[in-house]
Amino acid sequence: MTRLISYTYDHLSCSAGYGTPDTHSHLALHFIFSLDTAFPGNAGGNDFEGKAVFIDSDVPHTLHLESCDAIVVLFEPVSALGRYVKETFLRDKDFYLPEKELLCRITELLACYPASCTGNGLCGLTPEQAFAFDRELLELLGWHGPGRADALLDERVLSVKARLSEMDTIPADIMKELCDTARLSQSRLSHLFSSQAGIPLHRYLAFMKIQKAFLHVRRGKNLTQAALDAGFDSPSHLASTFKRMFGISFSQFLKNAE
């Protein structure tokens, strides 16, 4: 069962019965915190065990959380928040197991919410409580808003990001518009974006399409219309892309989401 806590332009946080997904990799950076005991996992071919873990973008991984819920935060990798997480915790490592002090502080934060909520995967949070929990969790990670991370990006990359965030649909011919926005050729823009953001532009576009589809569903559209309006060829194209990135299909995520 997946219970959405918060979704914004730069991250998605939820309480999830994570299970054991197929080994997969995707653009989002992960933070997973078990609401129960430590769990085993594998990232980048290396086994680990811990109560929480950060996992970098594009690192093949799987976790074994069959018996407990977890707080899962997915960070958009090119956002200031995503870059902060990468620079602060990962630092070119495939994964990072947080120190005991941070784990204790998150446990203390959970204790501030009703036991009926935290004992059942945070499903009883009101929207106001969910928003507060999300903000406080980010603050425990040391995040207090955009800082130097976005300042390090080239203005042309920032202009592309801004244009994509404004759009409801990412059409098949989006590259022409993005090249006009950045005033660069396609090859030069692709090279600049990859070197600045650390991920290929075409992978980022797929990630953004998924964001758009999710927003359309949240606005009340059915899966077919949401997929088409986001820029996918079909709902199956959306589902397969989501499966490649997150280890489950988009429809399965929506079916379990509250």
Side-chain angles (χ1 to χ4, degrees), residues 195-256:
S195 63
Q196 285 266 304
I199 55 175
L201 180 53
H202 73 275
R203 298 275 323 271
Y204 183 68
L205 291 175
F207 185 86
M208 291 300 293
K209 280 185 183 181
I210 288 176
Q211 284 195 341
K212 305 302 181 186
F214 184 82
L215 289 174
H216 285 309
V217 170
R218 295 283 288 177
R219 293 168 182 164
K221 296 181 180 179
N222 61 44
L223 183 57
T224 297
Q225 196 60 52
L228 296 176
D229 286 353
F232 288 98
D233 296 334
S234 63
S236 61
H237 184 201
L238 166 58
S240 62
T241 301
F242 196 88
K243 173 76 172 179
R244 274 197 315 275
M245 288 191 171
F246 300 106
I248 61 173
S249 72
F250 189 66
S251 59
Q252 180 183 351
F253 174 80
L254 294 177
K255 181 179 179 180
N256 291 336

Side-chain angles (χ1 to χ4, degrees), residues 73 100 135 155 165 194 230:
V73 187
K100 185 177 180 179
R135 293 296 94 193
E155 289 184 1
S165 69
S194 180

Side-chain angles (χ1 to χ4, degrees), residues 9-253:
Y9 71 96
D10 59 7
H11 75 286
L12 181 155
S13 59
C14 60
S15 171
Y18 203 90
T20 302
D22 298 337
T23 297
H24 62 289
S25 62
H26 48 75
L27 290 186
L29 290 85
H30 259 58
F31 174 65
I32 301 103
F33 180 88
S34 170
L35 292 175
D36 191 4
T37 59
F39 56 89
N42 182 284
N46 297 297
D47 293 329
F48 64 84
E49 183 168 340
K51 189 173 173 63
V53 64
F54 290 90
I55 302 176
D56 201 0
S57 299
D58 278 336
V59 173
H61 62 276
T62 188
L63 307 172
H64 302 276
L65 278 161
E66 295 93 343
S67 61
C68 60
D69 276 345
I71 302 299
V72 180
V73 187
L74 303 174
F75 301 99
E76 193 271 282
V78 191
S79 66
L81 174 56
R83 289 167 64 82
Y84 166 80
V85 169
K86 190 178 182 74
E87 294 172 3
T88 302
F89 298 102
L90 292 160
R91 299 174 186 169
D92 298 322
K93 298 189 292 287
D94 286 344
F95 67 94
Y96 170 73
L97 300 177
E99 296 180 0
K100 185 177 180 179
E101 179 182 356
L102 176 58
L103 302 183
C104 290
R105 293 172 68 190
I106 295 175
T107 300
E108 291 171 357
L109 171 61
L110 287 165
C112 295
Y113 290 87
S116 60
C117 299
T118 56
N120 196 20
L122 294 172
C123 67
L125 293 183
T126 65
E128 292 77 14
Q129 288 174 325
F131 178 80
F133 175 81
D134 182 68
R135 293 296 94 193
E136 291 182 79
L137 178 60
L138 293 184
E139 288 178 5
L140 288 182
L141 299 183
W143 174 250
H144 301 287
R148 68 184 186 88
D150 257 4
L152 297 176
L153 289 177
D154 187 284
E155 289 184 1
R156 292 164 293 186
V157 173
L158 291 175
S159 69
V160 166
K161 284 185 57 188
R163 181 67 190 111
L164 289 171
S165 69
E166 296 168 353
M167 303 174 73
D168 286 331
T169 301
I170 299 180
D173 60 352
I174 185 62
M175 283 302 301
K176 182 181 184 306
E177 181 172 349
L178 297 183
C179 288
D180 290 342
T181 298
R183 298 182 180 180
L184 292 171
S185 67
Q186 182 171 335
S187 61
R188 178 58 185 149
L189 175 58
S190 297
H191 176 77
L192 177 65
F193 192 94
S194 180
S195 63
Q196 285 266 304
I199 55 175
L201 180 53
H202 73 275
R203 298 275 323 271
Y204 183 68
L205 291 175
F207 185 86
M208 291 300 293
K209 280 185 183 181
I210 288 176
Q211 284 195 341
K212 305 302 181 186
F214 184 82
L215 289 174
H216 285 309
V217 170
R218 295 283 288 177
R219 293 168 182 164
K221 296 181 180 179
N222 61 44
L223 183 57
T224 297
Q225 196 60 52
L228 296 176
D229 286 353
F232 288 98
D233 296 334
S234 63
S236 61
H237 184 201
L238 166 58
S240 62
T241 301
F242 196 88
K243 173 76 172 179
R244 274 197 315 275
M245 288 191 171
F246 300 106
I248 61 173
S249 72
F250 189 66
S251 59
Q252 180 183 351
F253 174 80

